[in-house]
Amino acid sequence: DTGVSQNPRHKITKRGQNVTFRCDPISEHNRLYWYRQTLGQGPEFLTYFQNEAQLEKSRLLSDRFSAERPKGSFSTLEIQRTEQGDSAMYLCASSLLETQYFGPGTRLTVL
Amino acid sequence: DAKTTQPNSMESNEEEPVHLPCNHSTISGTDYIHWYRQLPSQGPEYVIHGLTSNVNNRMASLAIAEDRKSSTLILHRATLRDAAVYYCILRLPNEKLTFGTGTRLTIIP
């Protein structure tokens, strides 16, 4: 399967801990997006990379959130000092042209 | 971002056609109309997109009003696997997707 993969699929953590998620995009896709989805809502945009450059960040992305895409390949999203409000599904998508291809997401639960 | 309006939910019988409406009265001339769907416990999946002309692909058809202020996603023969939340999104080329709350489609066997 050459689709977008995300790891881990599920993460349970205690409030105040740091967590890191990984996204492996479809090979040769130069654009990579992170979204967050809470129950009953559509996904919300967090940030976007073109190759290794982070070109846009939502104001939802507080200073506790950081994303990287070294060498324009996989990407990581780190949340420091997690809060209960960070509990959500974190989705990654990649694209080469117009269509975005989504991964299965990482479900974060903060206790 | 231009907004879209969709019904919260719709039901359809299995093997019948389904017409999912979307209103976007503030659409700009450069906005593309995209449809994605999200099956339970999965990430969103691309369905179809268009600018002005009606579009067809193996999954669905997209009918766009002449004034572009509304569009309709058409599933020609719904199956149980089409039960999902369908999102209508206006998007400039290569921009991020701005999702609303979509239409939850229920297929009745």
Side-chain angles (χ1 to χ4, degrees):
Chain A
D1 185 26
T2 57
V4 177
S5 62
Q6 293 187 245
N7 287 288
R9 295 291 308 278
H10 303 273
K11 179 70 177 179
I12 300 174
T13 191
K14 292 182 180 179
R15 189 175 52 189
Q17 297 294 305
N18 299 342
V19 293
T20 299
F21 310 140
R22 177 177 170 128
C23 171
D24 286 273
I26 294 172
S27 178
E28 298 181 355
H29 278 193
N30 59 345
R31 297 188 182 92
L32 188 148
Y33 304 79
W34 285 98
Y35 295 84
R36 181 175 70 185
Q37 186 173 26
T38 54
L39 198 62
Q41 301 298 313
E44 297 173 293
F45 169 77
L46 292 179
T47 190
Y48 150 57
F49 292 85
Q50 181 158 317
N51 299 313
E52 65 273 13
Q54 189 173 16
L55 296 187
E56 187 176 352
K57 291 194 291 186
S58 164
R59 49 193 170 81
L60 293 175
L61 212 66
S62 76
D63 57 5
R64 297 185 298 106
F65 288 69
S66 62
E68 294 182 340
R69 192 182 182 197
K71 302 178 183 178
S73 55
F74 70 92
S75 176
T76 58
L77 178 68
E78 180 183 16
I79 309 174
Q80 296 183 324
R81 306 181 303 281
T82 53
E83 302 173 354
Q84 286 186 325
D86 297 330
S87 295
M89 176 75 81
Y90 290 84
L91 293 160
C92 174
S94 70
S95 73
L96 182 61
L97 298 173
E98 281 303 306
T99 301
Q100 290 189 21
Y101 296 86
F102 283 80
T106 295
R107 180 167 296 284
L108 173 66
T109 301
V110 182
L111 302 176
Chain B
D1 294 329
K3 301 292 186 187
T4 63
T5 304
Q6 300 178 252
N8 289 332
S9 62
M10 291 184 63
E11 289 184 349
S12 181
N13 294 321
E14 192 177 11
E15 299 185 5
E16 295 288 323
V18 181
H19 292 237
L20 295 164
C22 181
N23 288 319
H24 28 79
S25 59
T26 60
I27 191 170
S28 73
T30 50
D31 282 328
Y32 281 76
I33 302 160
H34 287 251
W35 284 81
Y36 280 73
R37 71 179 185 181
Q38 189 170 20
L39 279 65
S41 302
Q42 295 188 25
E45 173 188 33
Y46 168 81
V47 178
I48 200 166
H49 79 280
L51 183 62
T52 56
S53 303
N54 295 345
V55 185
N56 299 293
N57 66 20
R58 64 176 178 81
M59 288 181 70
S61 295
L62 176 60
I64 301 172
E66 195 168 336
D67 63 5
R68 301 210 325 125
K69 294 185 176 182
S70 66
S71 61
T72 302
L73 179 70
I74 303 165
L75 307 179
H76 293 287
R77 189 169 168 272
T79 70
L80 295 177
R81 288 178 296 178
D82 292 320
V85 178
Y86 286 78
Y87 298 98
C88 171
I89 302 167
L90 301 183
R91 179 180 179 226
L92 293 170
N94 298 320
E95 287 287 304
K96 62 184 181 288
L97 293 167
T98 302
F99 292 82
T101 52
T103 297
R104 181 173 298 278
L105 177 64
T106 301
I107 304 298
I108 302 168

